[in-house]
RNA sequence: GGGUUGGUAGCUCAAUGGUAGAGCAUCGGCCUUUUAAGCCGGUGGUUCUGGGUUCGAGUCCCAGCCAACCCA
């Protein structure tokens, strides 16, 4: 690869004694006519399966990464590990012969090894494989992180996640569970007749949320495009098209700050149901999250622990989840007379309560600041906060009971918004007005094609969005979104 | 963008302004049922980068880079 050296000058030049030693071992193997990078080796089973299907003397072919070795002189124990787990292998000089045994002794931690041998049980009772022959499948030219302490350095853990996965089994576990969570989301929705679709990530007009988009350029079309910030407007077009139950699990991109809770690209589930409304969508979210928790974690009670393993908080997902209006909740925390106060008094009281209020905040934003700063973080057990002020959400239908509010909910769990849902706006004229109002004087472009679609008629429908990363954080007890995203965004390191 | 903390061997971490260390890994020796194997001996450092103060800087000061956390 001729380009590599220029692109990764640091990696190519960076070396140390350990790397030199491994390169020397590689050269020495090649001199002996051994290629330690095999095209193929087919194990008969996984390391775990070999142990589970124990039968003394049974012949197995196993493959895995060398994770430990215990040199006994004329014999040697080694641990090899694949995704299923580890198994101990045992090599003896009189079985392998001098030359092969010498090769075996000089294997390095992190090398990939294929072995053929028979199952047996050691004195201490461990099921192991007595090696008859072995083959080096891939030589590791760099040392792995320490076996005992694991890998602690957050920067290395995120930049070189593969090392994190090798060194920290609990990290690996988190990502296997994340995969299971996504699988169970699909299973739940498909079981209820939802059709999974894929819609464009590159859009001429990024809509469906208020967020700064990433911009890119299409050369052949000669136009700028944006990475989507939400799935909503595409999926609603499908409701217009007669797909009555649709969902998409996909990446959204928002060109905003990074934090413990924000990654520039994140995974969103959105689902829409014709003839549903915000209430049926609350049932859906509750059912979905409970199904996922039960099938992946086998419990509805989630314990979050700190680094020392002490319980920090407990989240009880047992249904039914509390449903409370936005106004009720604000009255609970900010005073029963909150909505009877004048705007000036509200502002004053919000500041007294400890919310930070920007000078330009409109009245509804003052209340929203109180909600976000003082109320949301206290909602640990699942709570559906319904009937938000209509200024906050332009894509939902007005509530018949309270014309200042829209038929929406925000499902808060673990002190975070996890899933909003609405009775979707299907009146094209009302929708246009609300979007124009939201755009304000900013000349934000309206998605005219979306409005045309609504004019063709969209059935009454309920919709939800669900932040998959945040759901994973909540279910898996992770405090940082970076710990549920395999490759979180970091500043690129200068070569 | 602002604040706080941190960056030392491959990894995890020490080191009053005074010769940069330990454990593991690694290399060599002994050991044919060990498992964080054990015993003996060795190798390994641009202390993130660049300036400054000082007789002397890993340590103090300034600037920068990267990260984590908090705030906006």
């Amino acid at each position: 690869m001729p380009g590599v050296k220029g692109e990764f000058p640091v990696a190519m030049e960076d070396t140390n004694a350990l790397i030199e030693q491994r390169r020397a071992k590689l050269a020495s193997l090649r001199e002996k006519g051994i290629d330690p990078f095999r095209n193929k080796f087919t194990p008969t089973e996984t390391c775990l399966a070999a142990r589970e299907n124990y039968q003394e003397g049974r012949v197995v072919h196993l493959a895995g990464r060398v994770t430990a070795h215990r040199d006994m002189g004329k014999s040697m124990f080694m641990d090899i590990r694949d995704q299923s787990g580890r198994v101990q292998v045992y090599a003896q000089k009189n079985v392998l012969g001098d030359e092969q045994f010498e090769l075996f002794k000089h294997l390095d931690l992190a090398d990939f090894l294929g072995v053929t041998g028979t199952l047996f049980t050691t004195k201490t009772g461990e099921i192991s494989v007595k090696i008859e022959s072995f083959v080096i499948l891939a030589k590791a030219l760099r040392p792995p992180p320490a076996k005992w302490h694991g890998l602690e350095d957050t920067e290395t853990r995120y930049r070189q996640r593969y090392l994190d996965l090798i060194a920290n089994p609990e990290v690996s576990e988190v990502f296997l569970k994340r995969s299971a969570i996504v699988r169970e989301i699909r299973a739940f929705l498909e079981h209820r007749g939802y059709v999974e679709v894929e819609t464009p990530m590159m859009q001429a007009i990024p809509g469906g949320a208020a967020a700064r988009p990433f911009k890119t350029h299409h050369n052949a079309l000669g136009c700028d495009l944006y990475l989507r910030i939400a799935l909503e407007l595409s999926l609603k077009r499908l409701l217009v098209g007669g797909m009555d139950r649709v969902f998409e699990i996909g990446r959204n991109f928002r060109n905003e700050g990074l934090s413990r809770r924000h990654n520039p690209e994140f995974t969103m589930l959105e689902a829409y149901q014709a003839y549903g409304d915000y209430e049926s969508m609350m049932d859906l979210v509750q059912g979905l999250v409970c199904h996922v928790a039960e099938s992946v974690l086998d419990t509805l009670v989630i314990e979050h622990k700190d680094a020392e393993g002490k319980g920090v908080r407990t989240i009880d997902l047992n249904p039914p989840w509390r449903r409370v209006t936005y106004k009720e909740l604000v009255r609970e925390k900010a005073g029963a007379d909150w909505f009877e106060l004048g705007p000036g008094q509200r502002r004053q009281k919000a500041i007294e309560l400890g919310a930070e209020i920007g000078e330009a905040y409109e009245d509804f934003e003052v209340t929203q600041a109180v909600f976000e700063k003082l109320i949301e973080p206290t909602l640990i057990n699942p709570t559906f906060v319904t009937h938000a002020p209509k200024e906050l959400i332009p894509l939902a239908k007005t509530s018949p009971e309270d014309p200042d509010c829209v038929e929406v909910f925000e499902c808060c769990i673990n002190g975070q918004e996890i899933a909003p849902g609405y009775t979707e706006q299907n009146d094209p004229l009302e929708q246009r007005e609300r979007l124009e109002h939201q755009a304000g004087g900013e000349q934000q472009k309206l998605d005219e094609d979306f409005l045309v679609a609504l004019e063709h008629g969209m059935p009454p429908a309920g919709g939800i969005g669900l932040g998959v990363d945040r759901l994973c954080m909540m279910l898996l007890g992770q405090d940082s979104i970076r710990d549920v995203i395999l490759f979180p965004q970091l500043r690129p390191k200068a070569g």
Side-chain angles (χ1 to χ4, degrees):
Chain A
M1 289 204 291
V4 164
K5 197 162 185 181
E7 282 173 75
F8 302 106
V10 175
M12 292 302 283
E13 287 163 19
D14 138 61
T15 187
N16 61 52
L18 298 176
I19 294 173
E20 298 295 344
Q21 277 165 6
R22 283 169 183 248
R23 283 177 185 271
K25 284 184 181 179
L26 170 62
S28 152
L29 287 170
R30 290 237 157 97
E31 265 174 41
K32 296 189 176 91
I34 297 166
D35 177 13
F37 296 99
R38 287 306 175 99
N39 282 27
K40 189 166 184 180
F41 176 89
T42 307
T44 49
E45 58 220 287
T46 63
C47 293
L48 178 67
R51 282 190 282 118
E52 281 181 340
N53 303 309
Y54 178 70
Q55 195 186 338
E56 185 165 358
R58 185 165 74 84
V59 176
V60 293
H61 303 266
L62 301 178
R65 193 191 279 277
V66 175
T67 57
H69 53 71
R70 294 171 287 281
D71 187 347
M72 307 292 299
K74 293 186 180 62
S75 73
M76 189 168 185
F77 290 95
M78 204 173 268
D79 290 348
I80 63 173
R81 176 181 290 277
D82 64 16
Q83 193 179 313
S84 73
R86 64 171 272 282
V87 69
Q88 174 171 266
V89 301
Y90 181 54
Q92 294 161 293
K93 191 169 186 172
N94 61 351
V95 174
L96 290 180
D98 291 1
E99 202 175 309
Q100 284 293 301
F101 189 70
E102 202 56 26
L103 281 180
F104 192 83
K105 278 180 82 164
H106 285 88
L107 288 168
D108 284 311
L109 289 180
D111 289 352
F112 279 94
L113 186 64
V115 302
T116 296
T118 54
L119 295 172
F120 78 109
T121 306
T122 65
K123 268 185 193 170
T124 54
E126 175 157 357
I127 292 171
S128 307
V129 179
K130 201 172 284 184
I131 295 182
E132 284 160 8
S133 65
F134 71 93
V135 53
I136 305 173
L137 303 178
K139 183 88 196 137
L141 294 179
R142 287 170 185 262
K147 61 177 176 183
W148 186 243
H149 291 283
L151 179 65
E152 300 283 339
D153 182 68
T154 50
E155 191 172 350
T156 310
R157 286 187 47 228
Y158 296 150
R159 287 193 195 279
Q160 294 177 278
R161 179 70 89 181
Y162 45 92
L163 296 180
D164 193 24
L165 293 168
I166 291 168
N168 301 320
E170 69 282 5
V171 170
S172 196
E173 190 62 25
V174 164
F175 289 105
L176 293 177
K177 282 190 174 152
R178 179 180 172 133
S179 171
I181 287 169
V182 174
R183 185 186 69 228
E184 291 303 328
I185 290 173
R186 287 204 163 91
F188 180 90
L189 291 171
E190 278 163 13
H191 183 69
R192 278 157 188 75
Y194 285 79
V195 172
E196 181 167 9
V197 297
E198 295 175 272
T199 66
M201 294 198 186
M202 294 192 293
Q203 306 176 338
I205 299 165
R212 266 175 68 190
F214 286 92
K215 193 174 184 177
T216 185
H217 185 78
H218 194 294
N219 290 335
L221 295 177
C223 66
D224 288 335
L225 291 172
Y226 299 87
L227 301 186
R228 69 181 171 193
I229 56 174
L231 314 175
E232 180 149 359
L233 302 189
S234 293
L235 295 180
K236 282 181 173 171
R237 284 170 167 90
L238 298 178
L239 288 178
V240 172
M243 299 181 82
D244 284 347
R245 292 188 176 204
V246 291
F247 77 99
E248 178 167 8
I249 295 172
R251 212 69 62 82
N252 283 344
F253 305 85
R254 296 188 181 175
N255 202 344
E256 293 171 354
L258 289 72
S259 80
R260 219 160 47 84
R261 296 176 177 200
H262 298 86
N263 196 62
E265 51 183 300
F266 61 98
T267 302
M268 190 76 149
L269 160 72
E270 289 195 24
Y272 292 84
Q273 179 187 332
Y275 316 113
D277 69 351
Y278 77 117
E279 287 186 314
S280 44
M281 298 320 272
M282 280 193 270
D283 296 340
L284 186 78
V285 168
Q286 181 179 295
L288 172 65
V289 172
C290 289
H291 167 80
V292 169
E294 276 179 328
S295 50
V296 177
L297 306 173
D298 206 26
T299 179
L300 289 175
V301 179
I302 315 295
E303 295 280 355
H304 282 215
K305 292 172 180 167
D306 62 15
E308 284 86 51
K310 286 188 216 147
V312 179
R313 60 183 163 272
T314 302
I315 301 166
D316 187 350
L317 298 177
N318 275 292
W321 295 354
R322 187 182 182 201
R323 298 182 181 189
V324 58
T325 68
Y326 184 84
K327 284 184 176 174
E328 256 177 79
L329 209 47
V330 170
R331 286 196 197 99
E332 265 179 31
K333 308 271 176 170
D337 61 346
W338 178 266
F339 292 100
E340 280 73 59
L341 300 174
Q345 290 171 302
R346 257 196 289 276
R347 175 176 293 263
Q348 186 56 40
K349 186 151 186 192
I351 292 165
E352 282 167 19
L353 287 168
E356 298 209 6
I357 305 300
E359 283 188 16
Y361 278 19
E362 288 183 44
D363 192 33
F364 76 92
E365 290 175 305
V366 171
T367 303
Q368 178 62 7
V370 168
F371 178 79
E372 281 181 359
K373 299 295 169 190
L374 305 178
I375 298 175
E376 192 182 304
T378 69
L379 302 176
I380 302 302
N381 284 339
T383 306
F384 288 110
V385 183
T386 66
H387 297 87
K390 65 179 179 188
E391 294 89 341
L392 291 172
I393 298 158
L395 295 164
K397 287 188 80 75
T398 305
S399 165
E401 302 108 65
D402 184 347
D404 294 338
C405 293
V406 279
E407 282 196 348
V408 301
F409 63 83
E410 182 59 73
C411 179
C412 296
I413 314 181
N414 193 25
Q416 290 190 57
E417 296 177 355
I418 284 198
Y422 322 148
T423 301
E424 301 295 342
Q425 181 55 265
N426 65 344
D427 175 339
L429 303 179
E430 181 104 353
Q431 180 68 90
R432 173 180 293 278
E433 196 179 304
R434 298 278 286 285
L435 286 175
E436 279 171 351
H437 184 259
Q438 186 195 43
E442 287 174 28
Q443 294 261 316
Q444 192 180 330
K445 275 186 285 183
L446 293 189
D447 188 339
E448 291 292 343
D449 180 75
F450 169 66
L451 291 167
V452 168
L454 283 192
E455 288 176 19
H456 281 281
M458 186 182 95
I464 56 158
L466 187 147
V468 173
D469 310 282
R470 288 184 177 185
L471 178 71
C472 290
M473 289 167 69
M474 186 275 289
L475 289 175
L476 302 176
Q478 299 299 316
D479 286 334
S480 172
I481 197 169
R482 296 182 194 102
D483 292 323
V484 299
I485 291 176
L486 279 167
F487 300 101
Q489 194 65 52
L490 297 186
R491 188 183 293 276
K493 231 171 179 172

